């Protein structure tokens, strides 16, 4: 139905690009050299690369205004640290520390032999020093202190106290009473076997060496020295040791950029090799080797220009941005293949300016749709609260814009320069002119390397490539068979079922261990920590965040009820609870104080806090008012990302329900905050981006229903990628969130190309349109998909989780997008003939004619029949490619096939003229409308008599000129544009 076309935007854009293509074709050197100059100038921004690097894990991988950051600010303001009484559970950061885990090679580590080796490691750490400006920085000078002593590892103190009796000592777990103080062993002894609270065996011991936080530059020097020296002390027999520091995660994360640089070099070589191989021709003139090379170079220039510009502006360069060049390379090569495909379909005899104009007219909308969708998808990604995502989206979207600009300027200009060489029939390598025909005495090898310039004689375009032929002759017809369509539908239902199942298996959040390389010492430390020390999780602060009447029994009843709610959570250990108010009441009970009276409560609180210095850090008691206070609860069995998410959500929900104004905090919550926003932000980005994609498709694809199919493809690919990435052990985190946004752009790419080609096709039926769309763009889409996968495939060999995740999701996006583009969407489009505007109009006209025939006279039937035939013939005419007559007329040579012409003197000898092969001469079967072509090989003689009329027995009528054929007595519609200009009815009227 013609009414479904919405080309009010698409048509002027195509015309505009046609004019622009002609302008580029007329001035190729300007458009070729200017991008090179611009890239050189902008590329100077890489001078600032090191200065712009911003790889702070907290800053880049946690929500910008996450609740935990506000909670930390509250804790920092109300509960300042007391350096003289260090308490690691009261830190509002992760702290500054070095640590190691010793794992026994025997069933238990609680042996003399194992502890002798542990003690030796401890001495070597405490002896570490680093010289700075003549000053020696030692552990003793930098350590965090409690009552003027470095914070000890209590389990080592217990070993030293018992000595040889240590193995026979009954250690209780998790608390062991050492002297007058209960020692918590849950964080220092792991892999335990406990019977009746008595420790029977343990597999691992963990030591911490906390340092002061007041001078990070000095402590960082000591920690770096620890990382250099400590590994050399690991020659142990009874234990295996892993180690880490508070700096390690950040240092190892920053080191990942070194891993990706050689991979990008390999990728670039692969991309060039694949592009050249795809564009290789056995015609030494039509060969597109240089075109492919400069197409890849165009994508490289886009990366150089965009990154350089962003660095000049001052946009932070995050490690995730290192993924972008792999992506841009794939996108740029994809556009290159589309442009080459359209260029090859232009007439080789046209001027190069006209060829580029026609190329841009056909390809501009496709690459514009894909560019707009990709760029907008990334710009919408800027809405996310993660700086790493924002930086990636900003760099990548700018790169895609440059890629698009360079494709229609730099690459288009090179197409023109290469086209001029082809017009001169010059060799692709030597640029020497070669013959078009191979001499009969030369070998096949001579023809391959020294003869070229072939083209399709019927269309005037370059010869159809074998893969295009495969899509047209084999794949397209196979795909449009009825039983194939049924199979495709069943396959799609299976795909959708598995995808939806996978969506329910998705896990959220990034595991911080994954920020380091697989072979990093940090990963081994985290593995041991998870294996042996996951029973006791973080010690959580529960904070009363405003003034509160602690002496009021009603208020205290509410608070105690809330405390019980926290203790009743499944992941909270009820018996481990630290509370200043509980201790204060115990203190008041022994002192016979009436703490229900406000003045008594406040008057004695200062004395209590001076006596119990730890609790002094838990109460903001200023100017005789309690502005805030906190107590601590202990979590258990928090080992997975799902456990962390549930813990955070339930703790905050419990605090929210409490009538007392509470908040919960732990330094790890800074990273756990991603769970609160990752899903909602992903859904928001996908929804907004999909709506924008639909709008673009409606504007640029001249058929609203097919635009809806594009939107359907987006949703389908997103569901598939999300489901299968969960089944491939990829979590929904900041890394995968980036790629899911990319997913939208790429799913549009494939479906938009095919949908636009489908609705633009001049074929009659939906099946023919699908085959024609696959013939035109099936191979370029396949090339683009393969090139993009090749662009990221080397990332699968990376030792870093971020790059491997990028590869996994990009592979799923491209694979499912490609499958939708060349299988699902073409089949689904064939179910809706309403996208076939001309075909539906013809059917409607035919139906109307048939309805008229039932009630009209015989004369009206003849008129209706004529009108119907006229419509059908016009369809054939519109769907056939006619070429101008460029063949010389007959001279003295006899023609194998001639026409006898009356009344035409020029180009005629003895009233005969050659039947020129470049003029389409054909007969149309009136029943099947099959076109039978006549060429100069047909031994037929046509006599033309301009005086006679077309009779019922010999009605070969062309352009109101009657033609008598010795071959046929049927009326045919022979159209010869080089001789006749009008198109007649079949009945000769």
């Amino acid at each position: 139905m013609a009414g479904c076309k919405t080309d009010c935007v698409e048509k002027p854009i195509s015309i505009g690009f046609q004019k622009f293509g002609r302008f580029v074709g007329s001035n190729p050197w300007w458009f070729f050299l200017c991008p090179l100059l611009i890239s050189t100038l902008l590329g100077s921004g890489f001078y600032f690369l090191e200065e712009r690097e911003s790889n702070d894990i907290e800053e880049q991988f946690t929500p910008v205004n996450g609740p935990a950051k506000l909670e930390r600010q509250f804790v920092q303001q109300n509960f300042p640290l007391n350096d003289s009484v260090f308490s690691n559970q009261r830190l509002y950061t992760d702290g500054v520390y070095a640590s190691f885990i010793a794992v026994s090679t025997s069933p238990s580590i609680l042996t003399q032999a194992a502890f002798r080796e542990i003690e030796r490691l401890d001495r070597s750490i405490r002896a570490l020093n680093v010289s700075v400006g003549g000053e020696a920085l030692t552990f003793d000078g930098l350590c965090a202190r409690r009552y003027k002593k470095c914070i000890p590892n209590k389990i080592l103190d217990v070993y030293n106290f018992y000595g040889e009796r240590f193995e026979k000592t009954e250690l209780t777990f998790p608390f062991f009473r050492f002297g007058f103080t209960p020692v918590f062993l849950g964080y220092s002894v792991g892999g335990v076997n406990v019977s009746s609270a008595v420790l029977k065996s343990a597999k691992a011991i963990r030591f911490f060496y906390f340092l002061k936080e007041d001078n990070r530059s000095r402590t960082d020097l000591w920690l770096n020295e620890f990382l250099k020296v400590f590994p050399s002390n690991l020659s142990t027999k009874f234990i295996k040791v892993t180690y880490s520091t508070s700096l390690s995660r950040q240092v190892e994360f920053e080191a990942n950029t070194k891993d990706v640089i050689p991979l990008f070099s390999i990728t670039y070589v692969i991309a060039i090799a694949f592009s050249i191989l795809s564009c290789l021709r056995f015609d030494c003139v039509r060969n597109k080797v240089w075109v492919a090379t400069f197409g890849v170079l165009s994508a490289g220039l886009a990366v150089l220009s965009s990154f350089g510009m962003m660095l000049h502006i001052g946009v932070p360069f995050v490690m995730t941005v290192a993924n972008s060049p792999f992506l841009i390379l794939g996108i740029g090569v994809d556009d290159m293949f589309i442009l080459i495909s359209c260029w090859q379909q232009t007439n080789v005899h046209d001027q190069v300016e006209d060829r580029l104009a026609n190329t841009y007219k056909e390809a501009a909308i496709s690459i514009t749709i894909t560019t707009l969708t990709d760029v907008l998808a990334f710009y919408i990604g800027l809405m996310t609260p993660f700086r790493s995502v924002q930086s990636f989206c900003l760099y990548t979207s700018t790169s895609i814009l440059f890629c698009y600009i360079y494709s229609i300027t730099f690459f288009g200009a090179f197409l023109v320069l290469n086209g001029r060489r082809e017009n001169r029939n010059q060799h692709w390598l030597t640029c020497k002119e070669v013959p078009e025909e191979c001499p009969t005495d030369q070998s096949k090898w001579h023809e391959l390397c020294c003869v070229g310039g072939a083209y399709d004689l019927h269309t005037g375009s370059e010869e159809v490539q074998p893969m295009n032929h495969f899509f047209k002759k084999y794949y397209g017809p196979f795909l449009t068979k009825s039983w194939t369509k049924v199979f495709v539908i069943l396959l799609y239902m299976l795909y959708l079922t598995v995808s939806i199942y996978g969506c329910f298996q998705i896990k959220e959040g990034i595991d911080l261990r994954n920020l380091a390389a697989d072979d990093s010492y940090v990963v081994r430390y985290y593995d041991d920590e998870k294996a042996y020390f996951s029973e006791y999780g973080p010690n959580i602060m529960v904070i009363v965040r405003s003034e509160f009447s602690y002496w009021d029994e009603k208020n205290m009843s509410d608070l105690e009820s809330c405390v019980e709610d926290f203790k009743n959570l499944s992941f909270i250990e009820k018996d481990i609870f630290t509370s200043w108010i509980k201790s204060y009441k115990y203190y008041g009970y022994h002192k016979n104080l009436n703490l229900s009276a406000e003045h008594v409560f406040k008057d004695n609180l200062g004395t209590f806090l001076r006596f119990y210095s730890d609790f002094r850090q838990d109460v903001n008691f200023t100017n005789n008012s309690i502005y805030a206070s906190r107590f601590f609860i202990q979590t258990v069995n928090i080992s997975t990302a799902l456990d962390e998410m549930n813990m955070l959500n339930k703790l905050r929900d419990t605090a929210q329900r409490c009538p007392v104004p509470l908040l919960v905090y732990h330094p790890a919550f800074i990273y756990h905050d991603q769970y609160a926003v990752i899903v909602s932000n992903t859904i928001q980005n996908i929804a907004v981006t999909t709506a924008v994609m639909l709008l673009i498709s409606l504007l640029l694809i001249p058929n609203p229903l097919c635009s809806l199919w594009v939107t359907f493809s987006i949703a389908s690919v997103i569901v598939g990628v999300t489901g299968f990435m969960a089944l491939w052990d990829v979590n929904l985190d900041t890394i995968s969130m980036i790629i899911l946004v990319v997913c939208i752009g790429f799913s549009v790419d494939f479906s938009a190309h095919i949908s636009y080609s489908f609705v633009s096709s001049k074929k009659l039926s939906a099946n023919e349109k699908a085959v024609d769309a696959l013939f035109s763009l099936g191979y370029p889409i396949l090339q683009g998909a393969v090139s993009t996968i090749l662009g990221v495939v080397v990332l699968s060999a990376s030792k870093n989780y971020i790059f491997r995740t990028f590869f996994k999701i990009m592979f799923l996006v491209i694979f499912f997008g490609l499958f939708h583009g060349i299988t699902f969407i073409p089949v689904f489009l064939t179910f809706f003939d309403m996208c076939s505007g001309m075909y539906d109009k013809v059917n409607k006209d035919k139906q109307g004619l048939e309805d008229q025939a039932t009630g009209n006279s015989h004369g009206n039937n003849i008129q209706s029949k004529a009108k119907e035939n006229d419509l059908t013939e016009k369809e054939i005419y519109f769907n056939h490619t006619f070429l101008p007559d460029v063949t010389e007329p007959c001279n003295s040579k006899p023609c194998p096939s001639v026409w006898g012409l009356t009344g035409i003197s020029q180009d005629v000898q003895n009233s005969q003229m050659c039947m020129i092969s470049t003029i389409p001469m054909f007969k149309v079967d009136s029943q099947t409308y099959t076109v039978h072509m006549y060429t100069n090989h047909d031994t037929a003689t046509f006599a033309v008599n301009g005086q006679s009329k077309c009779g019922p027995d010999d009605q070969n009528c062309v352009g109101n000129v009657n033609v008598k054929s010795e071959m046929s007595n049927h009326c045919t519609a022979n159209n010869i544009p080089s001789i006749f200009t009008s198109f007649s009815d079949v009945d000769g009227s």
Side-chain angles (χ1 to χ4, degrees), residues 400-656:
I400 294 173
L401 280 176
F402 271 98
C403 198
Y404 175 69
I405 293 169
Y406 287 173
S407 290
I408 61 177
T409 54
F410 176 80
F411 182 68
F414 188 80
L415 275 176
V416 171
L417 297 175
N418 188 72
R420 289 179 178 177
R421 176 191 61 78
E422 291 182 4
N423 280 359
R424 295 190 294 268
N425 222 62
Q426 293 177 333
H427 197 281
W428 70 272
L429 183 61
T430 64
C431 290
K432 292 184 178 180
E433 189 172 343
V434 297
E436 294 186 29
E437 299 290 339
C438 183
T440 56
D441 59 339
Q442 295 295 335
S443 66
K444 188 68 175 177
W445 290 108
H446 178 82
E447 181 179 357
L448 286 174
C449 69
C450 301
V451 177
Y455 61 92
D456 191 318
L457 296 177
H458 293 289
T459 64
S461 60
E462 296 185 26
E463 292 181 333
V464 176
Q465 298 305 308
M467 280 302 296
N468 296 86
H469 183 77
F470 166 78
F471 276 99
K472 183 176 183 179
K473 295 295 183 182
Y474 301 102
Y475 182 75
F478 169 78
L479 194 64
T480 52
K481 292 180 182 294
S482 298
W483 66 268
T484 308
K485 292 181 183 180
V486 173
F487 175 76
V488 168
I489 293 171
L490 293 175
L491 181 63
Y492 180 76
M493 292 174 65
L494 176 63
Y495 157 82
L496 204 59
T497 302
V498 176
S499 299
I500 293 174
Y501 168 77
C503 288
F504 287 99
Q505 311 302 314
I506 195 77
K507 297 177 182 177
E508 302 168 36
I510 187 169
D511 188 344
L512 294 178
R513 69 183 292 280
N514 290 328
L515 296 178
D518 294 342
D519 58 354
S520 169
Y521 64 89
V522 177
V523 173
R524 294 191 292 273
Y525 178 86
Y526 286 151
D527 287 342
D528 283 347
E529 190 175 55
K530 184 176 181 179
Y532 303 113
F533 296 95
S534 59
E535 181 177 356
Y536 289 94
N539 198 249
I540 309 298
M541 301 180 195
V542 181
I543 302 163
V544 181
R545 54 187 173 87
S546 62
E547 292 188 51
F548 182 75
S549 302
Y550 297 91
W551 49 87
D552 184 270
E553 292 185 2
K554 172 65 172 65
N555 289 342
M556 282 305 299
S557 176
D558 291 339
L559 181 58
E560 289 170 0
S561 176
C562 293
V563 170
E564 286 303 312
D565 289 341
F566 280 110
K567 288 184 176 181
N568 289 331
L569 294 173
S570 60
F571 50 84
I572 297 297
E573 175 57 66
K574 294 182 179 181
D575 297 331
I576 304 177
F577 178 67
T578 305
S579 170
W580 71 273
I581 187 66
K582 181 179 178 181
S583 296
Y584 186 38
K585 285 186 175 182
Y586 186 76
Y587 172 84
Y589 173 77
H590 282 281
K591 294 287 186 180
N592 294 318
L593 301 176
N594 181 17
L595 298 182
S596 297
E598 179 179 357
H599 70 281
V600 175
F601 190 97
K602 290 181 177 180
D603 290 346
N604 291 275
L605 180 58
T607 305
F608 168 77
L609 295 178
R610 283 192 297 273
F611 187 73
Y612 295 97
S613 54
D614 279 339
F615 292 140
R616 188 175 182 179
Q617 301 180 67
D618 296 337
V619 185
N620 182 1
F621 184 47
T622 308
N623 297 327
N624 209 39
S625 295
I626 304 175
Y627 293 102
S629 72
R630 63 183 173 184
F631 53 89
F632 298 87
I633 53 177
Q634 178 64 50
T635 61
V636 291
N637 300 321
I638 306 296
S639 58
T640 66
L642 182 61
D643 294 335
E644 293 170 348
M645 180 181 67
N646 290 334
M647 173 189 69
L648 181 63
N649 291 336
K650 290 181 179 179
L651 286 173
R652 284 181 173 163
D653 288 344
T654 305
Q656 190 71 29

Side-chain angles (χ1 to χ4, degrees), residues 171-422:
L171 300 177
T172 55
F173 189 87
F175 284 100
F176 173 68
R177 192 164 190 84
F178 185 51
F180 297 102
T181 308
V183 176
F184 181 66
L185 300 179
Y187 289 152
S188 56
V189 182
V192 297
N193 177 18
V194 179
S195 176
S196 302
V198 176
L199 195 59
K200 297 298 183 182
S201 66
K203 192 66 177 174
I205 296 291
R206 177 170 58 178
F207 278 17
F208 283 99
Y209 299 88
F210 286 99
L211 307 179
K212 298 174 185 176
E213 297 201 26
D214 56 355
N215 194 334
R216 293 298 296 268
S217 60
R218 294 162 65 89
T219 54
D220 286 353
L221 288 172
W222 189 89
L223 291 175
N224 286 322
E225 185 69 14
F226 169 84
L227 293 175
K228 291 179 184 177
V229 175
F230 185 70
S232 62
N233 296 321
L234 298 184
S235 55
T236 55
K237 180 179 179 181
F238 300 101
I239 56 174
K240 294 187 296 184
V241 181
T242 55
Y243 59 96
S244 180
T245 71
S246 53
L247 291 179
S248 294
R249 188 165 57 202
Q250 183 66 45
V251 171
E252 290 298 290
F253 175 67
E254 292 174 355
N256 286 327
T257 53
K258 299 176 183 177
D259 180 40
V260 77
I261 292 174
L263 295 180
F264 183 69
S265 304
I266 296 171
T267 297
Y268 215 82
V269 171
I270 292 175
I272 292 176
F274 173 76
S275 301
I276 290 175
L277 187 64
S278 297
C279 298
L280 197 63
R281 307 287 184 265
F282 292 116
D283 188 307
C284 65
V285 174
R286 307 293 177 198
N287 207 336
K288 298 291 189 292
V289 169
W290 292 118
V291 173
T293 303
F294 278 84
V296 177
L297 177 61
S298 176
L301 292 176
V303 173
L304 181 66
S305 299
S306 58
F307 278 38
M309 187 177 79
M310 292 291 101
L311 292 170
H312 271 300
I313 294 172
V315 178
F317 187 91
V318 189
M319 203 263 285
T320 52
V321 177
N323 287 300
S324 184
F326 299 93
L327 188 61
I328 301 306
L329 193 59
I331 293 173
V333 172
D334 185 20
D335 289 346
M336 175 192 77
F337 287 132
I338 297 294
L339 287 167
I340 290 175
S341 176
C342 293
W343 171 271
Q344 291 177 153
Q345 294 176 37
T346 59
N347 194 315
V348 298
H349 298 295
D350 289 344
Q351 296 294 323
V352 287
E353 295 87 348
D354 295 330
R355 292 190 70 183
L356 191 66
N358 293 330
T359 297
Y360 279 11
K361 181 183 178 182
E362 294 300 321
I365 293 297
S366 285
I367 64 174
T368 299
I369 290 174
T370 57
T371 299
L372 272 177
T373 53
D374 289 341
V375 168
L376 287 175
F378 282 111
Y379 276 131
I380 290 170
L382 294 175
M383 297 164 51
T384 62
F386 297 96
R387 296 194 190 278
S388 58
V389 178
Q390 293 172 357
S391 293
F392 178 84
C393 289
L394 195 55
Y395 272 89
T396 307
S397 56
T398 308
S399 297
I400 294 173
L401 280 176
F402 271 98
C403 198
Y404 175 69
I405 293 169
Y406 287 173
S407 290
I408 61 177
T409 54
F410 176 80
F411 182 68
F414 188 80
L415 275 176
V416 171
L417 297 175
N418 188 72
R420 289 179 178 177
R421 176 191 61 78
E422 291 182 4

Side-chain angles (χ1 to χ4, degrees), residues 765-970:
S765 68
N767 280 351
E768 290 174 332
K769 283 177 177 286
V771 174
D772 189 49
L774 289 168
F775 167 66
S776 301
L777 290 177
Y779 184 43
I781 287 175
L782 180 62
Q783 286 177 307
V786 173
S787 66
T788 305
I789 290 177
L790 289 176
V792 298
V793 70
V794 294
L795 295 179
S796 64
S798 173
K799 295 179 290 187
N800 184 264
Y801 167 83
I802 292 177
F803 297 124
R804 282 201 312 277
T805 298
F806 189 88
F807 159 74
K808 287 181 179 181
I809 304 181
M810 279 303 302
F811 176 82
L812 292 175
V813 169
I814 300 303
F815 180 76
F816 291 146
L818 174 65
F819 216 75
H820 278 71
I822 65 174
T823 303
F824 293 145
I825 295 299
V827 168
F828 294 156
L829 285 172
T830 61
F831 295 143
F832 294 86
D833 282 357
M834 55 201 63
C835 287
S836 307
M838 181 185 296
Y839 184 68
D840 286 348
K841 185 177 185 302
V842 170
N843 283 340
K844 190 181 296 182
D845 290 340
K846 286 183 179 180
Q847 184 62 42
L849 291 172
E850 290 173 3
D851 293 341
Q852 281 184 356
T854 59
N856 293 344
S857 63
H858 177 69
N860 289 338
N861 284 336
I862 295 174
Q863 186 178 0
S864 300
K865 178 70 174 176
K867 185 175 180 180
E868 180 182 351
N869 287 337
D870 181 48
L871 286 169
T872 307
E873 290 166 4
K874 285 181 180 179
E875 293 167 29
I876 297 170
Y877 178 80
F878 294 147
N879 283 277
H880 193 80
T881 303
F882 296 103
L883 300 175
D885 180 10
V886 294
T887 308
E888 295 292 331
C890 292
N891 293 318
S892 58
K893 296 181 181 180
C895 298
S897 295
V898 298
W899 273 9
L901 300 177
T902 303
I904 302 178
S905 58
Q906 63 269 33
D907 298 337
V908 177
Q909 292 186 2
N910 301 325
S911 298
Q912 293 184 336
M913 186 180 77
C914 287
M915 181 177 175
I916 302 166
S917 63
T918 57
I919 303 176
M921 322 219 7
F922 51 86
K923 177 184 76 174
V924 183
D925 190 300
S926 61
Q927 300 298 320
T928 64
Y929 306 112
T930 303
V931 180
H932 301 283
M933 302 295 298
Y934 294 111
T935 69
N936 55 0
H937 300 293
D938 296 319
T939 57
T941 302
F942 290 81
V944 179
N945 184 349
Q947 302 299 320
S948 63
K949 292 184 177 180
C950 190
D953 295 327
D954 49 357
Q955 296 180 3
N956 279 309
C957 309
V958 182
N960 292 325
V961 178
N962 302 324
V963 183
K964 183 176 181 180
S965 172
E966 296 179 4
M967 289 180 60
S968 171
N969 290 326
H970 295 288

